[in-house]
Amino acid sequence: MQTDLGLWAVPLAMLAGAIRVSTPFIFVSLGECLTERSGRINLGLEGTLVMGAMSAYGVALQTGSPWAGVLVAGLIGLLLGGLHAAICNLPRVNDIATGIALMLAATGLAFFLGKPLVQPKAPNLSAVELGWWSDIPQVRSALQVNWLFVLGIVLAPALWWALRKTRWGLVVRLAGESVDAARAMGVSVAWVRLLATAAGGFLSGIGGAFLSLYYPGSWNEGLSSGQGLMAVALVIFARWNPLRCLWASLLFGAAGAISPALQSVGVTQGYYLFGAAPYVLTLAIMIITCSPERSLRGAPGELGVTR
Amino acid sequence: MLRNGSIGRRRLLQGTGAALAAGALPLHGVRAQKPLVIGFIYVGPRDDYGYNQAHAEAAAVIKKMAGVKVVEEEKVPETVAVEKSMESMINLDGATLLFPTSFGYFDPHMLRMAQKYPKLQFRHCGGLWTRDKHPANTGSYFGYIDECQYLNGVVAGHVSKTGKLGFIAAKPIPQVLRNINAFTLGARSANPKITTQVIFTGDWALPVKEAEATNSMVAQGVDVVTCHVDSPKVVVETAERAGIYACGYHANQAKLAPKGYLTGAEWNWEKVYTDFVAAMKAGSVPGNFVRGGLKEGFVKTSAFGPAVTEKARAQHEAVKTQMLGGNYVIFKGPLKDNKGNTVITAGTEYIQTEPTLEAMSYLIDGVLGATS
């Protein structure tokens, strides 16, 4: 039986929401963080996310193995990321326009190929129970997590460390900060960006697999509802720092859970407003942290809309 | 976007075709025997386990009738895009009867097309047509699915152990509120102390929010959920995974929840569309204001799931028999809303055709939630 938690239910539901909803945000934002650190923007990750979700569902359905689906979703993401990078490596190509084009193309393709996948039911990824120590069923269900979530949690500090402390991390940052300096060191900027963008695509594809194979756990055309785009914005909010990407993703997940959580405990006024919480949060933080005096702190030097 | 350019091209082709046809007289003979072409337009995918699937299943039945050709287009937004879809169905396929099935297609899009093509018939699914105000070649049809939601409530009320039911709704519009209220009334007829928690997600298809809403209800002790969103798939699947019961909506979702599916409120558009086609073939036109419930065969209930108790089954069947006979009144006084105001006075009975029911703006006593 359920225990009546009163208003405590709201923070608990937000925690549960953060754990359930944030995984795609974590993967896409880490992927985009890596890509942008190498000096390139990939706005196509929304499309990669949707494509990943569709292909993961399809493969899981065909093979019966959800993990095979996750892998294929990652590989599809790798290809899409690689394609974006390859196009952008051509002279005088705008990466923002390319990203938008790829986003539309990938979502369209996913909807087209995903037509026969709406009806069937694919095997889902299993959950890990982390709430065994508690007697309260709500806590137990809140702490039901997925391995992909755990992977995301581990990946964020790993990426942070790698960007900061390893040689290839330095090379990625160099390609993002100054093309001239990178060239002077004999680094092929094009290759670095290709690899970073492809790796970013790989992570986003996995984020998509989480959507269709774990939560909500089925494929349909409204599945992503802009989460990929929000994750890209989240990277700016997180100042291109993988650790902050993780916190920001959790915050966005929790903010998304506010509206249903409040309604379920009886706070019914203004649910549209609470539904807009994640977006309001982004805007508010953007406004607070922007300054006309300097460019955004932490922004890679080569990143820009003017190129 | 591709459609934008294609209208001009179509017009050109059509003009050329017409010029050629004028020279080739035998074509007029062929015209007399050509089949009745019917156009269906859906706002979402045809296989969404929901609203659009219910229409598409009926369209598939019509397709098999002799002398009928069905043209369909799915995922047409409620914008000027639907006018282009209708134009192409009329001009390219020769459709003479059109069913734009989504709520937002009516005004101004369908009305504009109806004025442009006064000889063709347009029927809209939803409750918006008014005599004298709208063209005579248009009309609306809708089903009293609240009867099935009432029956859902009866079963849910018997099966629930916690006395808390959940309703995941998209937007607080009259049809949705009527379903929530009917569901609650049904449940209260089985267990007068029961409450229905409502969560509005804000739009017709938001899978992550619907799953989140279902989970937060589970955390509150809700043990039966139902919904009014375009595709109930996510809600029913999430409920099954959480180990609670679900009542379906729009179409049959029993396959998605073999353990927890109780029963469901389903459309039976097949009945409506076959009647319309029969009218057209008899040389007349479909009605302008077509409504019906269980009695008329416009809606139906899903078969019972394994968790439905004997008592629930008995009451469900007893009420359903009365509804089929046309003498069961769902909304009758005294009835209060959940703010304590009387909305239907004692002694008043609103039968299903009552127009005030189509403008419902309140949640009744027993519903936890607010319309704004």
Side-chain angles (χ1 to χ4, degrees):
Chain A
M1 274 298 97
Q2 307 287 328
T3 317
D4 192 17
L5 296 172
L7 276 178
W8 275 106
V10 175
L12 187 62
M14 284 173 68
L15 173 73
I19 290 173
R20 281 192 297 253
V21 181
S22 61
T23 309
F25 287 132
I26 297 177
F27 276 91
V28 178
S29 63
L30 288 181
E32 181 69 10
C33 185
L34 180 61
T35 309
E36 290 194 10
R37 266 312 186 60
S38 80
R40 174 142 302 149
I41 295 175
N42 185 359
L43 286 181
L45 290 186
E46 165 80 8
T48 312
L49 187 78
V50 175
M51 196 64 195
M54 188 281 296
S55 48
Y57 201 71
V59 170
L61 190 70
Q62 289 295 319
T63 62
S65 159
W67 287 104
V70 174
L71 185 69
V72 171
L75 293 177
I76 296 275
L78 190 84
L79 282 178
L80 283 170
L83 180 65
H84 179 265
I87 295 173
C88 292
N89 277 344
L90 301 171
R92 289 188 297 281
V93 170
N94 183 306
D95 53 355
I96 292 177
T98 312
I100 293 173
L102 272 179
M103 171 175 81
L104 295 174
T107 22
L109 190 64
F111 289 176
F112 173 71
L113 296 174
K115 263 283 135 241
L117 299 175
V118 181
Q119 292 269 349
K121 223 171 135 37
N124 275 13
L125 293 166
S126 53
V128 191
E129 306 279 345
L130 291 185
W132 39 267
W133 46 269
S134 170
D135 295 333
I136 306 169
Q138 287 96 322
V139 174
R140 295 178 78 122
S141 80
L143 290 177
Q144 243 181 23
V145 302
N146 180 267
W147 280 118
L148 285 179
F149 176 71
V150 179
L151 187 66
I153 298 264
V154 176
L155 204 60
L159 188 64
W160 174 80
W161 176 81
L163 278 174
R164 243 179 115 91
K165 302 275 180 185
T166 64
R167 186 185 146 71
W168 73 256
L170 183 72
V171 169
V172 167
R173 284 190 290 141
L174 190 61
E177 288 299 341
S178 164
V179 173
D180 292 340
R183 286 209 181 112
M185 278 183 68
V187 171
S188 163
V189 176
W191 261 106
V192 171
R193 288 184 180 165
L194 181 81
L195 292 177
T197 314
F202 184 81
L203 291 178
S204 308
I206 290 182
F210 178 88
L211 280 177
S212 66
L213 291 179
Y214 186 70
Y215 195 77
S218 66
W219 161 250
N220 64 54
E221 290 167 9
L223 191 60
S224 140
S225 34
Q227 290 181 68
L229 280 175
M230 271 167 72
V232 172
L234 213 141
V235 176
I236 305 170
F237 168 30
R239 295 280 170 275
W240 295 271
N241 177 334
L243 278 182
R244 290 205 213 116
C245 279
L246 175 64
W247 296 125
S249 302
L250 288 170
L251 193 65
F252 267 59
I258 286 184
S259 171
L262 283 177
Q263 285 189 64
S264 76
V265 295
V267 181
T268 49
Q269 293 303 312
Y271 49 81
Y272 281 109
L273 212 57
F274 289 117
Y279 315 102
V280 175
L281 192 73
T282 317
L283 268 179
I285 286 170
M286 288 300 197
I287 291 166
I288 292 166
T289 53
C290 86
S291 156
E293 310 289 307
R294 54 177 165 75
S295 65
L296 286 172
R297 215 170 349 107
E302 285 292 320
L303 206 61
V305 289
T306 46
R307 268 183 310 133
Chain B
M1 288 300 115
L2 276 172
R3 302 201 65 88
N4 277 338
S6 59
I7 276 292
R9 198 165 62 234
R10 265 170 197 157
R11 274 279 153 79
L12 181 72
L13 283 171
Q14 187 200 344
T16 325
L20 284 174
L25 278 170
L27 269 179
H28 289 283
V30 178
R31 214 188 161 100
Q33 283 142 24
K34 75 174 187 185
L36 170 65
V37 182
I38 305 171
F40 282 88
I41 303 171
Y42 315 113
V43 72
R46 259 180 303 184
D47 41 12
D48 61 353
Y49 264 106
Y51 186 82
N52 300 296
Q53 184 176 331
H55 284 286
E57 278 174 3
V61 173
I62 305 288
K63 213 180 270 180
K64 293 202 187 94
M65 293 170 75
V68 173
K69 193 183 152 210
V70 171
V71 286
E72 295 170 278
E73 188 168 337
E74 56 181 352
K75 289 189 67 191
V76 180
E78 293 173 332
T79 60
V80 78
V82 69
E83 293 182 34
K84 287 176 183 159
S85 293
M86 284 192 256
E87 285 264 18
S88 103
M89 283 176 171
I90 292 165
N91 294 322
L92 282 182
D93 306 304
T96 49
L97 174 60
L98 283 124
F99 297 117
T101 58
S102 188
F103 193 79
Y105 290 159
F106 184 73
D107 193 8
H109 310 299
M110 187 182 111
L111 294 176
R112 209 179 281 158
M113 285 294 114
Q115 269 154 7
K116 190 168 171 190
Y117 298 99
K119 286 189 184 148
L120 306 182
Q121 294 298 322
F122 298 80
R123 293 295 178 274
H124 175 252
C125 183
L128 297 167
W129 188 83
T130 321
R131 191 173 299 279
D132 301 329
K133 194 174 151 200
H134 296 127
N137 62 331
T138 61
S140 74
Y141 56 98
F142 206 64
Y144 297 125
I145 201 160
D146 54 322
E147 293 177 2
C148 298
Q149 277 293 10
Y150 184 91
L151 293 169
N152 273 353
V154 168
V155 173
H158 277 288
V159 171
S160 171
K161 291 186 184 74
T162 58
K164 289 179 179 174
L165 311 179
F167 200 114
I168 292 141
K171 297 178 181 192
I173 62 167
Q175 283 99 328
V176 176
L177 299 177
R178 188 168 170 177
N179 277 336
I180 298 171
N181 291 338
F183 179 72
T184 309
L185 284 170
R188 291 208 141 190
S189 75
N191 170 3
K193 282 195 188 136
I194 219 155
T195 55
T196 305
Q197 173 73 54
V198 176
I199 292 183
F200 290 103
T201 58
D203 217 332
W204 297 108
L206 292 170
V208 174
K209 250 200 189 134
E210 288 155 17
E212 214 27 58
T214 314
N215 276 317
S216 58
M217 282 188 178
V218 174
Q220 287 298 303
V222 166
D223 64 351
V224 186
V225 289
T226 188
C227 59
H228 189 157
V229 294
D230 261 1
S231 171
K233 193 181 181 202
V234 168
V235 171
V236 173
E237 280 181 340
T238 311
E240 177 82 351
R241 222 169 289 147
I244 64 164
Y245 303 111
C247 293
Y249 190 63
H250 285 318
N252 192 338
Q253 290 98 26
K255 262 191 276 174
L256 302 174
K259 276 186 286 190
Y261 194 76
L262 298 176
T263 179
E266 296 177 39
W267 298 105
N268 192 27
W269 294 124
E270 191 186 321
K271 159 81 176 128
V272 184
Y273 290 134
T274 28
D275 286 357
F276 284 0
V277 171
M280 288 293 277
K281 292 188 122 185
S284 131
V285 294
N288 297 104
F289 187 85
V290 178
R291 295 287 186 279
L294 277 167
K295 185 185 164 201
E296 291 79 10
F298 282 31
V299 292
K300 58 187 179 188
T301 56
S302 319
F304 293 120
V308 180
T309 58
E310 216 32 66
K311 258 170 98 180
R313 202 176 284 239
Q315 197 193 338
H316 179 283
E317 272 161 6
V319 177
K320 191 177 167 186
T321 315
Q322 285 189 50
M323 284 177 172
L324 286 168
N327 41 23
Y328 193 88
V329 180
I330 296 175
F331 294 99
K332 53 187 172 219
L335 191 65
K336 282 187 174 174
D337 69 8
N338 63 359
K339 292 179 194 125
N341 311 314
T342 303
V343 284
I344 303 178
T345 50
T348 312
E349 288 198 344
Y350 286 150
I351 52 165
Q352 289 293 61
T353 46
E354 172 68 39
T356 50
L357 290 181
E358 293 198 13
M360 194 171 273
S361 61
Y362 49 83
L363 291 165
I364 60 153
D365 186 34
V367 180
L368 310 174
T371 53
S372 61

